[in-house]
Amino acid sequence: MRLPRTLAAFGATAALVLSLTACGGATGSSGGPSVPPPVSPADLAKVTLKVGDQKGGSQALLKAAGLLDGLPYHLEWSTFTSGPPLLEAASGGAIDVGAVGNTPPIFAAAANARIAVVSSAQGDVRGDALLVPPDSPLRTIADLKGKTIGVAKGSSAHGQILLNLRKAGMSTKDVQLSFLQPADAYGAFTQHRIDAWAVWDPYTSQAVLEAGARVLADGTGTANGYSFEVAGHDALADPGKNAAIRDFVVRIAKAQRWSDTHRDQWGQAWAADTGLAPGVALAAARNGPDVPVALDDRVIASEQELADAFTGEKVLPGKVEFARFVDTRYAADLAAARG
């Protein structure tokens, strides 16, 4: 794959924008916003796209890949500790778009949030782990019965707990879940106030390298490894923001491709941007970054299976129809970006 390049001049950027906004695409979300008409480069230049981000997320990735240059619109970044509060902000219009893992959209859909999944990626699931302290007597998932597990509620790690327990013939009723955001969970974990911690990279690599954590189980054979760009209905219905989101998700896909072929370079940039120890960032990057994949029936079916598992555990109040919260209007542009 070639290193993604930024556009050298506004003229080239404007041409791309006109191409992107002119491309049609039907919404796939039932009752969601229809595709608005294209906008001119002058109108797009007036747009401020509000992006929800997480530590070491989209902003760091785009910066490292050189894809924050030549933007034909403005960006306003907001940082969130995990996916669920980010999607709450998107549903309420506080942000326009943001990246999350595989589970937050399911919880948002269960709450009938005004959001739609607009692009997808898939990563190596070894970074999605259930961790125990180095001196823990726990050796198998079965040993977790009656134990306390720290996790961010509604996060991809929450799904990971559910899937690993189900694989071992157990359910969330067999353990005690302590709902903690990663920063609080890390402290609780190192102070032995929880027995195990379910989390994702770079927190997994940080706990292993800096706290000697041991991986009790990871996502191999259970997790689907998907992550998503998710947009709010108000943004998708707005002509200018719709055009900006189209350009933004294409840049994200190109940056993901770059990170996959430049893992050490991405790890170094990740460390510089987040303050992570270089060894931690490099380990997380080498585990394998997310790479763009088609938002197709296979992805939807896998997410539906995960949603049904949560419903079966009575974690969600009823059945979630994941396909209702998927919008494929950018599919053609994203296919071209994947190469």
Side-chain angles (χ1 to χ4, degrees), residues 206-258:
Q206 182 180 29
V208 169
L209 292 175
E210 296 183 355
R214 176 163 46 84
V215 176
L216 191 68
D218 62 25
T220 303
T222 52
N224 59 27
Y226 291 127
S227 60
F228 303 102
E229 291 290 333
V230 182
H233 282 186
D234 289 346
L236 290 170
D238 179 88
K241 292 198 172 184
N242 174 64
I245 293 170
R246 186 186 299 273
D247 177 84
F248 180 80
V249 297
V250 166
R251 288 173 187 263
I252 289 290
K254 290 180 177 180
Q256 289 169 334
R257 289 183 60 198
W258 173 86

Short mmCIF file of all heavy atoms in Angstrom, two decimals, residues 206-258:
data_model
loop_
_atom_site.label_atom_id
_atom_site.label_comp_id
_atom_site.label_asym_id
_atom_site.label_seq_id
_atom_site.Cartn_x
_atom_site.Cartn_y
_atom_site.Cartn_z
N GLN A 206 -0.34 -1.15 28.54
CA GLN A 206 0.16 -0.39 29.67
C GLN A 206 0.13 -1.23 30.95
O GLN A 206 1.10 -1.25 31.71
CB GLN A 206 -0.68 0.88 29.86
CG GLN A 206 -0.18 1.77 31.00
CD GLN A 206 -1.03 3.02 31.15
OE1 GLN A 206 -2.22 3.02 30.84
NE2 GLN A 206 -0.43 4.09 31.63
N ALA A 207 -0.98 -1.92 31.18
CA ALA A 207 -1.10 -2.73 32.39
C ALA A 207 -0.11 -3.89 32.38
O ALA A 207 0.48 -4.24 33.41
CB ALA A 207 -2.53 -3.26 32.52
N VAL A 208 0.10 -4.50 31.22
CA VAL A 208 1.03 -5.63 31.12
C VAL A 208 2.46 -5.17 31.35
O VAL A 208 3.21 -5.79 32.12
CB VAL A 208 0.88 -6.32 29.75
CG1 VAL A 208 2.01 -7.32 29.52
CG2 VAL A 208 -0.47 -7.02 29.64
N LEU A 209 2.85 -4.08 30.71
CA LEU A 209 4.25 -3.65 30.77
C LEU A 209 4.58 -2.88 32.05
O LEU A 209 5.70 -3.00 32.56
CB LEU A 209 4.57 -2.78 29.56
CG LEU A 209 4.56 -3.49 28.20
CD1 LEU A 209 4.78 -2.50 27.07
CD2 LEU A 209 5.62 -4.59 28.17
N GLU A 210 3.64 -2.11 32.56
CA GLU A 210 3.95 -1.26 33.72
C GLU A 210 3.46 -1.83 35.04
O GLU A 210 4.03 -1.49 36.09
CB GLU A 210 3.36 0.14 33.50
CG GLU A 210 3.97 0.87 32.30
CD GLU A 210 3.43 2.28 32.13
OE1 GLU A 210 2.50 2.66 32.88
OE2 GLU A 210 3.94 3.00 31.24
N ALA A 211 2.43 -2.65 35.01
CA ALA A 211 1.91 -3.21 36.26
C ALA A 211 2.07 -4.72 36.33
O ALA A 211 1.63 -5.34 37.31
CB ALA A 211 0.43 -2.84 36.41
N GLY A 212 2.70 -5.31 35.32
CA GLY A 212 2.93 -6.75 35.33
C GLY A 212 1.67 -7.57 35.19
O GLY A 212 1.64 -8.75 35.57
N ALA A 213 0.61 -6.97 34.65
CA ALA A 213 -0.66 -7.68 34.53
C ALA A 213 -0.50 -8.94 33.67
O ALA A 213 0.33 -9.00 32.77
CB ALA A 213 -1.71 -6.77 33.90
N ARG A 214 -1.32 -9.92 33.99
CA ARG A 214 -1.32 -11.16 33.23
C ARG A 214 -2.63 -11.26 32.46
O ARG A 214 -3.70 -10.95 32.99
CB ARG A 214 -1.15 -12.34 34.19
CG ARG A 214 -1.23 -13.71 33.55
CD ARG A 214 -0.64 -14.79 34.47
NE ARG A 214 -1.10 -14.69 35.83
CZ ARG A 214 -2.25 -15.20 36.29
NH1 ARG A 214 -3.07 -15.84 35.46
NH2 ARG A 214 -2.59 -15.08 37.56
N VAL A 215 -2.55 -11.69 31.21
CA VAL A 215 -3.75 -11.83 30.38
C VAL A 215 -4.41 -13.16 30.69
O VAL A 215 -3.85 -14.23 30.42
CB VAL A 215 -3.39 -11.74 28.88
CG1 VAL A 215 -4.64 -11.99 28.03
CG2 VAL A 215 -2.79 -10.38 28.55
N LEU A 216 -5.60 -13.08 31.27
CA LEU A 216 -6.36 -14.29 31.56
C LEU A 216 -7.02 -14.82 30.29
O LEU A 216 -7.09 -16.03 30.07
CB LEU A 216 -7.42 -13.99 32.63
CG LEU A 216 -8.12 -15.19 33.25
CD1 LEU A 216 -7.14 -15.99 34.11
CD2 LEU A 216 -9.29 -14.72 34.13
N ALA A 217 -7.49 -13.90 29.47
CA ALA A 217 -8.10 -14.25 28.18
C ALA A 217 -8.12 -13.01 27.32
O ALA A 217 -8.18 -11.89 27.83
CB ALA A 217 -9.51 -14.80 28.36
N ASP A 218 -8.05 -13.22 26.01
CA ASP A 218 -8.22 -12.08 25.11
C ASP A 218 -9.38 -12.37 24.16
O ASP A 218 -10.16 -13.28 24.39
CB ASP A 218 -6.92 -11.74 24.37
CG ASP A 218 -6.41 -12.87 23.48
OD1 ASP A 218 -7.24 -13.71 23.04
OD2 ASP A 218 -5.20 -12.92 23.20
N GLY A 219 -9.47 -11.57 23.10
CA GLY A 219 -10.62 -11.69 22.22
C GLY A 219 -10.53 -12.78 21.18
O GLY A 219 -11.46 -12.95 20.38
N THR A 220 -9.43 -13.52 21.17
CA THR A 220 -9.26 -14.57 20.17
C THR A 220 -10.37 -15.61 20.26
O THR A 220 -10.60 -16.21 21.31
CB THR A 220 -7.89 -15.26 20.34
OG1 THR A 220 -6.85 -14.29 20.26
CG2 THR A 220 -7.68 -16.33 19.28
N GLY A 221 -11.09 -15.79 19.17
CA GLY A 221 -12.15 -16.78 19.13
C GLY A 221 -13.48 -16.30 19.69
O GLY A 221 -14.46 -17.04 19.67
N THR A 222 -13.51 -15.06 20.18
CA THR A 222 -14.77 -14.53 20.73
C THR A 222 -15.12 -13.17 20.13
O THR A 222 -16.19 -13.00 19.55
CB THR A 222 -14.69 -14.41 22.27
OG1 THR A 222 -13.52 -13.66 22.63
CG2 THR A 222 -14.64 -15.78 22.92
N ALA A 223 -14.24 -12.19 20.26
CA ALA A 223 -14.54 -10.83 19.82
C ALA A 223 -14.46 -10.70 18.30
O ALA A 223 -13.69 -11.41 17.64
CB ALA A 223 -13.57 -9.84 20.47
N ASN A 224 -15.24 -9.77 17.75
CA ASN A 224 -15.18 -9.55 16.30
C ASN A 224 -14.18 -8.47 15.92
O ASN A 224 -13.84 -8.34 14.74
CB ASN A 224 -16.57 -9.22 15.73
CG ASN A 224 -17.21 -7.98 16.33
OD1 ASN A 224 -16.53 -7.08 16.79
ND2 ASN A 224 -18.54 -7.95 16.33
N GLY A 225 -13.71 -7.69 16.88
CA GLY A 225 -12.67 -6.70 16.61
C GLY A 225 -13.13 -5.47 15.85
O GLY A 225 -12.29 -4.67 15.43
N TYR A 226 -14.43 -5.28 15.69
CA TYR A 226 -14.90 -4.16 14.91
C TYR A 226 -14.87 -2.85 15.70
O TYR A 226 -15.04 -2.83 16.92
CB TYR A 226 -16.33 -4.39 14.42
CG TYR A 226 -16.45 -5.48 13.38
CD1 TYR A 226 -17.34 -6.54 13.54
CD2 TYR A 226 -15.65 -5.47 12.25
CE1 TYR A 226 -17.44 -7.54 12.59
CE2 TYR A 226 -15.75 -6.47 11.29
CZ TYR A 226 -16.65 -7.51 11.48
OH TYR A 226 -16.74 -8.50 10.53
N SER A 227 -14.64 -1.78 14.97
CA SER A 227 -14.82 -0.43 15.50
C SER A 227 -15.54 0.39 14.44
O SER A 227 -15.58 0.00 13.26
CB SER A 227 -13.46 0.21 15.85
OG SER A 227 -12.63 0.30 14.70
N PHE A 228 -16.10 1.51 14.85
CA PHE A 228 -16.99 2.24 13.95
C PHE A 228 -16.82 3.75 14.07
O PHE A 228 -16.49 4.26 15.15
CB PHE A 228 -18.46 1.90 14.25
CG PHE A 228 -18.78 0.44 14.17
CD1 PHE A 228 -18.91 -0.32 15.31
CD2 PHE A 228 -18.94 -0.17 12.93
CE1 PHE A 228 -19.21 -1.68 15.24
CE2 PHE A 228 -19.24 -1.54 12.85
CZ PHE A 228 -19.38 -2.29 14.00
N GLU A 229 -17.06 4.43 12.96
CA GLU A 229 -17.31 5.86 12.99
C GLU A 229 -18.83 6.01 13.05
O GLU A 229 -19.56 5.41 12.24
CB GLU A 229 -16.76 6.56 11.75
CG GLU A 229 -15.24 6.59 11.68
CD GLU A 229 -14.60 7.51 12.71
OE1 GLU A 229 -15.27 8.49 13.13
OE2 GLU A 229 -13.45 7.25 13.10
N VAL A 230 -19.29 6.79 14.00
CA VAL A 230 -20.72 6.95 14.23
C VAL A 230 -21.07 8.44 14.19
O VAL A 230 -20.37 9.25 14.80
CB VAL A 230 -21.13 6.34 15.59
CG1 VAL A 230 -22.64 6.46 15.80
CG2 VAL A 230 -20.71 4.88 15.67
N ALA A 231 -22.13 8.78 13.49
CA ALA A 231 -22.52 10.17 13.34
C ALA A 231 -23.92 10.40 13.90
O ALA A 231 -24.76 9.48 13.93
CB ALA A 231 -22.49 10.58 11.87
N GLY A 232 -24.18 11.63 14.33
CA GLY A 232 -25.49 11.99 14.82
C GLY A 232 -26.44 12.30 13.67
O GLY A 232 -26.02 12.73 12.59
N HIS A 233 -27.72 12.09 13.89
CA HIS A 233 -28.72 12.34 12.85
C HIS A 233 -28.72 13.79 12.38
O HIS A 233 -28.87 14.07 11.19
CB HIS A 233 -30.11 11.96 13.35
CG HIS A 233 -30.37 10.49 13.35
ND1 HIS A 233 -31.60 9.94 13.66
CD2 HIS A 233 -29.56 9.42 13.07
CE1 HIS A 233 -31.54 8.63 13.56
NE2 HIS A 233 -30.31 8.29 13.22
N ASP A 234 -28.58 14.72 13.33
CA ASP A 234 -28.61 16.13 12.94
C ASP A 234 -27.47 16.46 11.98
O ASP A 234 -27.65 17.19 11.00
CB ASP A 234 -28.51 17.03 14.17
CG ASP A 234 -29.78 17.00 15.02
OD1 ASP A 234 -30.81 16.50 14.52
OD2 ASP A 234 -29.74 17.47 16.17
N ALA A 235 -26.29 15.91 12.24
CA ALA A 235 -25.14 16.16 11.37
C ALA A 235 -25.34 15.53 10.00
O ALA A 235 -25.02 16.13 8.97
CB ALA A 235 -23.87 15.64 12.02
N LEU A 236 -25.88 14.33 9.96
CA LEU A 236 -26.09 13.64 8.69
C LEU A 236 -27.15 14.32 7.84
O LEU A 236 -27.12 14.22 6.61
CB LEU A 236 -26.48 12.18 8.94
CG LEU A 236 -25.38 11.28 9.50
CD1 LEU A 236 -25.96 9.94 9.92
CD2 LEU A 236 -24.27 11.08 8.48
N ALA A 237 -28.07 15.02 8.48
CA ALA A 237 -29.13 15.71 7.74
C ALA A 237 -28.70 17.08 7.25
O ALA A 237 -29.35 17.66 6.37
CB ALA A 237 -30.37 15.84 8.62
N ASP A 238 -27.61 17.59 7.79
CA ASP A 238 -27.13 18.91 7.42
C ASP A 238 -26.22 18.81 6.20
O ASP A 238 -25.25 18.05 6.22
CB ASP A 238 -26.36 19.53 8.60
CG ASP A 238 -25.81 20.90 8.28
OD1 ASP A 238 -26.52 21.88 8.49
OD2 ASP A 238 -24.65 20.98 7.82
N PRO A 239 -26.50 19.54 5.12
CA PRO A 239 -25.70 19.39 3.89
C PRO A 239 -24.20 19.61 4.10
O PRO A 239 -23.38 18.81 3.63
CB PRO A 239 -26.29 20.45 2.96
CG PRO A 239 -27.70 20.62 3.42
CD PRO A 239 -27.64 20.47 4.91
N GLY A 240 -23.83 20.68 4.79
CA GLY A 240 -22.41 20.96 4.98
C GLY A 240 -21.73 19.93 5.85
O GLY A 240 -20.63 19.45 5.53
N LYS A 241 -22.37 19.53 6.94
CA LYS A 241 -21.74 18.56 7.84
C LYS A 241 -21.72 17.17 7.22
O LYS A 241 -20.77 16.40 7.43
CB LYS A 241 -22.44 18.57 9.20
CG LYS A 241 -22.19 19.87 9.95
CD LYS A 241 -22.46 19.78 11.42
CE LYS A 241 -21.99 21.06 12.11
NZ LYS A 241 -22.13 21.02 13.56
N ASN A 242 -22.73 16.84 6.46
CA ASN A 242 -22.72 15.57 5.74
C ASN A 242 -21.51 15.49 4.79
O ASN A 242 -20.82 14.46 4.75
CB ASN A 242 -24.01 15.40 4.94
CG ASN A 242 -23.99 14.17 4.06
OD1 ASN A 242 -23.93 13.05 4.54
ND2 ASN A 242 -24.03 14.39 2.75
N ALA A 243 -21.24 16.57 4.08
CA ALA A 243 -20.09 16.59 3.17
C ALA A 243 -18.78 16.50 3.95
O ALA A 243 -17.85 15.81 3.53
CB ALA A 243 -20.11 17.87 2.34
N ALA A 244 -18.72 17.18 5.10
CA ALA A 244 -17.51 17.13 5.92
C ALA A 244 -17.29 15.73 6.50
O ALA A 244 -16.16 15.23 6.53
CB ALA A 244 -17.59 18.17 7.04
N ILE A 245 -18.36 15.09 6.95
CA ILE A 245 -18.24 13.73 7.49
C ILE A 245 -17.77 12.78 6.41
O ILE A 245 -16.93 11.89 6.66
CB ILE A 245 -19.58 13.26 8.10
CG1 ILE A 245 -19.92 14.08 9.34
CG2 ILE A 245 -19.51 11.77 8.46
CD1 ILE A 245 -21.33 13.85 9.86
N ARG A 246 -18.28 12.93 5.20
CA ARG A 246 -17.85 12.08 4.09
C ARG A 246 -16.32 12.17 3.91
O ARG A 246 -15.62 11.17 3.81
CB ARG A 246 -18.56 12.48 2.80
CG ARG A 246 -18.30 11.56 1.61
CD ARG A 246 -18.93 12.11 0.34
NE ARG A 246 -20.37 12.25 0.45
CZ ARG A 246 -21.23 11.27 0.17
NH1 ARG A 246 -20.78 10.10 -0.23
NH2 ARG A 246 -22.53 11.49 0.27
N ASP A 247 -15.82 13.39 3.87
CA ASP A 247 -14.38 13.59 3.72
C ASP A 247 -13.62 13.06 4.93
O ASP A 247 -12.57 12.42 4.80
CB ASP A 247 -14.09 15.09 3.54
CG ASP A 247 -12.60 15.38 3.44
OD1 ASP A 247 -12.05 15.26 2.33
OD2 ASP A 247 -11.99 15.73 4.48
N PHE A 248 -14.17 13.28 6.14
CA PHE A 248 -13.50 12.88 7.37
C PHE A 248 -13.34 11.36 7.45
O PHE A 248 -12.26 10.86 7.77
CB PHE A 248 -14.28 13.40 8.58
CG PHE A 248 -13.67 13.04 9.90
CD1 PHE A 248 -12.59 13.75 10.41
CD2 PHE A 248 -14.17 11.98 10.64
CE1 PHE A 248 -12.03 13.42 11.62
CE2 PHE A 248 -13.61 11.63 11.87
CZ PHE A 248 -12.54 12.36 12.36
N VAL A 249 -14.41 10.60 7.18
CA VAL A 249 -14.31 9.15 7.32
C VAL A 249 -13.39 8.55 6.26
O VAL A 249 -12.73 7.52 6.50
CB VAL A 249 -15.70 8.47 7.30
CG1 VAL A 249 -16.53 8.94 8.48
CG2 VAL A 249 -16.44 8.69 5.99
N VAL A 250 -13.31 9.18 5.09
CA VAL A 250 -12.36 8.73 4.07
C VAL A 250 -10.93 8.94 4.57
O VAL A 250 -10.06 8.07 4.40
CB VAL A 250 -12.61 9.46 2.74
CG1 VAL A 250 -11.43 9.28 1.78
CG2 VAL A 250 -13.89 8.94 2.08
N ARG A 251 -10.68 10.09 5.18
CA ARG A 251 -9.34 10.35 5.74
C ARG A 251 -8.99 9.35 6.84
O ARG A 251 -7.86 8.87 6.93
CB ARG A 251 -9.26 11.78 6.27
CG ARG A 251 -9.22 12.84 5.17
CD ARG A 251 -9.31 14.25 5.76
NE ARG A 251 -9.45 15.24 4.70
CZ ARG A 251 -8.44 15.95 4.19
NH1 ARG A 251 -7.22 15.79 4.66
NH2 ARG A 251 -8.66 16.82 3.21
N ILE A 252 -9.98 9.03 7.67
CA ILE A 252 -9.74 8.04 8.73
C ILE A 252 -9.36 6.70 8.12
O ILE A 252 -8.42 6.03 8.57
CB ILE A 252 -10.99 7.89 9.62
CG1 ILE A 252 -11.19 9.14 10.50
CG2 ILE A 252 -10.89 6.64 10.49
CD1 ILE A 252 -10.17 9.32 11.59
N ALA A 253 -10.08 6.27 7.09
CA ALA A 253 -9.77 4.99 6.44
C ALA A 253 -8.36 4.99 5.87
O ALA A 253 -7.61 4.00 6.00
CB ALA A 253 -10.80 4.70 5.35
N LYS A 254 -7.97 6.08 5.24
CA LYS A 254 -6.61 6.18 4.69
C LYS A 254 -5.57 6.17 5.80
O LYS A 254 -4.50 5.54 5.67
CB LYS A 254 -6.48 7.44 3.85
CG LYS A 254 -7.26 7.40 2.54
CD LYS A 254 -7.09 8.70 1.76
CE LYS A 254 -7.82 8.65 0.42
NZ LYS A 254 -7.66 9.92 -0.34
N ALA A 255 -5.86 6.84 6.90
CA ALA A 255 -4.92 6.87 8.03
C ALA A 255 -4.79 5.49 8.65
O ALA A 255 -3.70 5.08 9.08
CB ALA A 255 -5.39 7.89 9.06
N GLN A 256 -5.88 4.74 8.72
CA GLN A 256 -5.82 3.38 9.25
C GLN A 256 -4.95 2.49 8.37
O GLN A 256 -4.16 1.68 8.88
CB GLN A 256 -7.23 2.81 9.38
CG GLN A 256 -8.04 3.45 10.51
CD GLN A 256 -9.51 3.09 10.46
OE1 GLN A 256 -10.06 2.78 9.41
NE2 GLN A 256 -10.17 3.13 11.61
N ARG A 257 -5.08 2.64 7.08
CA ARG A 257 -4.21 1.87 6.17
C ARG A 257 -2.75 2.23 6.40
O ARG A 257 -1.87 1.36 6.41
CB ARG A 257 -4.60 2.14 4.72
CG ARG A 257 -5.93 1.53 4.28
CD ARG A 257 -6.18 1.79 2.80
NE ARG A 257 -5.13 1.22 1.98
CZ ARG A 257 -4.90 1.56 0.72
NH1 ARG A 257 -5.62 2.52 0.15
NH2 ARG A 257 -3.94 1.00 0.02
N TRP A 258 -2.49 3.51 6.57
CA TRP A 258 -1.11 3.96 6.82
C TRP A 258 -0.57 3.35 8.12
O TRP A 258 0.56 2.85 8.15
CB TRP A 258 -1.07 5.49 6.90
CG TRP A 258 0.26 6.02 7.32
CD1 TRP A 258 1.33 6.29 6.52
CD2 TRP A 258 0.68 6.31 8.66
NE1 TRP A 258 2.40 6.73 7.28
CE2 TRP A 258 2.02 6.76 8.60
CE3 TRP A 258 0.05 6.25 9.90
CZ2 TRP A 258 2.73 7.13 9.73
CZ3 TRP A 258 0.76 6.61 11.03
CH2 TRP A 258 2.09 7.05 10.94
#
